[in-house]
Amino acid sequence: MNAIGWPNWRRLNQEGIVFAIAVLLFAAAALGLPGFLTADNLVAIVRSVSVLGILALGMALVIIGRGIDLSAVAIMAMSVAWYLQLLNTGTSDGLAFAYVLAGVLAIGLLNGFLVAYADVPAIFVTLATGSFVFGYVRSQLITQDAVPVPQGHWVELLGGVRFLDIPVEVFVFAGLAFLVFLFLRYTKWGRFIYFAGDNPVAARNIGIPVRPMLVLRYALSAVVALIAGLLTAASLHSINTRVVNSTLLYDIVLVAVIGGIGLSGGRGGVRNVLVGAALIGILLNAMTIIDIPLLYQNLIKAAILLGAIIVDGIINPRDEQTAQQGDI
């Protein structure tokens, strides 16, 4: 309790609360929904959140550093669509991948440069670059919304890889989560992200390269989006660019924020992404089994996201520097 008798919300552990809710929801679904505890359904839950979790890892790197990346889904879908289009028109695999990787890095670096050096708010920069990537690739580089994977290509073969009957994307998610954990926890660059997110002015004053680190975060987010896109294409044997106009971007932010990554920067980590992904995965699977219409599923997710943002504002209040910077 504080001096006026209100509960001290800052001491609440959002991660613990969300984990408890996920456990309770899992138990309720296991008891009340037929087929929820079958092995196939449990694998489906983990598989469904793998790509979402990978994208949330990239988003987490940006949010922890006091930013946001609204171009992630556009980069994910359009880069892989261009890659597959190049393959289908006879471009060699190595050259096609080099083109796409260079384009992805260029967009990530452009995002970071405009935010770090031009002082344009990240929400506007990434919204604009996401729209540009979608429009340019769809109108100039590919011929249809859904681009198939060439038969026998390694992306198609990757989609069939399983270990202990668990799809490969689950292991890729786990591996990336471990790498991001090591990066944030045990490297100086990872610690710099927390310092810059918590207080960028103080971080700059003690010699931390705040602006170059900001550019690095957006480049990493773009590469993570490319990985997520390749796994999506491997699973579906194609990539549909219409996903850019879906609610996937909001789901990514939902996973990060509901897991406890503070929008004010400097707080959170991989564990928060895992907890958020677990809750959303269980929730979406339960709503699918119940056969709740997609319209109402989106309404429920929107309400949860709004609630998570309100809670985040209470637990991690924006300071004066955050308000002046205007990144979120």
Side-chain angles (χ1 to χ4, degrees):
M1 304 288 286
N2 60 19
I4 61 174
W6 290 97
N8 193 343
W9 297 106
R10 297 189 193 185
R11 294 184 180 179
L12 289 178
N13 187 330
Q14 183 177 344
E15 175 193 337
I17 295 172
V18 171
F19 179 74
I21 294 173
V23 171
L24 292 175
L25 182 60
F26 183 90
L31 293 174
L33 298 179
F36 181 83
L37 278 182
T38 62
D40 288 343
N41 188 63
L42 294 179
V43 170
I45 293 175
V46 180
R47 185 175 193 174
S48 67
V49 300
S50 294
V51 171
L52 178 60
I54 290 171
L55 288 166
L57 287 173
M59 184 70 76
L61 289 173
V62 177
I63 293 178
I64 291 171
R66 199 176 282 205
I68 197 165
D69 187 359
L70 302 184
S71 65
V73 176
I75 293 173
M76 177 199 81
M78 307 315 292
S79 62
V80 175
W82 182 31
Y83 175 54
L84 298 180
Q85 181 71 34
L86 289 171
L87 294 175
N88 287 320
T89 54
T91 306
S92 66
D93 195 357
L95 187 59
F97 191 79
Y99 283 155
V100 171
L101 182 60
V104 165
L105 287 174
I107 294 300
L109 293 173
L110 177 63
N111 281 338
F113 177 82
L114 291 175
V115 174
Y117 293 97
D119 291 325
V120 182
I123 192 169
F124 299 125
V125 168
T126 57
L127 182 63
T129 55
S131 298
F132 173 80
V133 167
F134 174 73
Y136 182 77
V137 174
R138 181 62 186 87
S139 64
Q140 303 297 321
L141 302 179
I142 63 176
T143 58
Q144 55 190 4
D145 287 330
V147 185
V149 178
Q151 190 171 14
H153 189 261
W154 67 265
V155 172
E156 181 185 50
L157 301 177
L158 180 65
V161 175
R162 287 174 174 261
F163 300 100
L164 302 176
D165 206 33
I166 299 175
V168 67
E169 53 259 47
V170 177
F171 294 98
V172 175
F173 175 36
L176 280 176
F178 183 63
L179 290 176
V180 173
F181 168 77
L182 293 179
F183 173 72
L184 289 174
R185 179 64 65 88
Y186 296 108
T187 70
K188 67 176 183 179
W189 303 105
R191 292 191 293 273
F192 286 172
I193 291 177
Y194 284 102
F195 294 151
D198 185 57
N199 193 323
V201 174
R204 186 178 296 113
N205 289 338
I206 63 175
I208 292 176
V210 173
R211 296 184 191 276
M213 283 300 304
L214 200 157
V215 175
L216 173 65
R217 292 197 296 275
Y218 283 98
L220 289 175
S221 177
V223 172
V224 169
L226 172 61
I227 295 172
L230 291 171
L231 289 173
T232 300
S235 174
L236 303 176
H237 294 178
S238 68
I239 191 76
N240 194 328
T241 59
R242 292 184 180 180
V243 71
V244 176
N245 298 318
S246 71
T247 61
L248 179 58
L249 180 60
Y250 306 105
D251 293 344
I252 298 167
V253 177
L254 176 59
V255 166
V257 176
I258 201 173
I261 295 177
L263 288 173
S264 59
R267 298 174 179 85
V270 172
R271 194 168 57 189
N272 301 93
V273 172
L274 297 178
V275 169
L279 176 60
I280 297 305
I282 295 169
L283 177 65
L284 294 179
N285 185 264
M287 291 194 296
T288 301
I289 294 176
I290 298 172
D291 198 23
I292 296 177
L294 184 60
L295 177 65
Y296 292 102
Q297 289 190 32
N298 291 335
L299 180 61
I300 292 170
K301 288 189 295 182
I304 294 173
L305 177 58
L306 179 60
I309 291 174
I310 293 172
V311 171
D312 174 74
I314 297 173
I315 298 177
N316 303 308
R318 292 161 60 88
D319 56 22
E320 184 179 353
Q321 292 174 2
T322 310
Q324 290 175 350
Q325 188 182 37
D327 281 346
I328 303 300

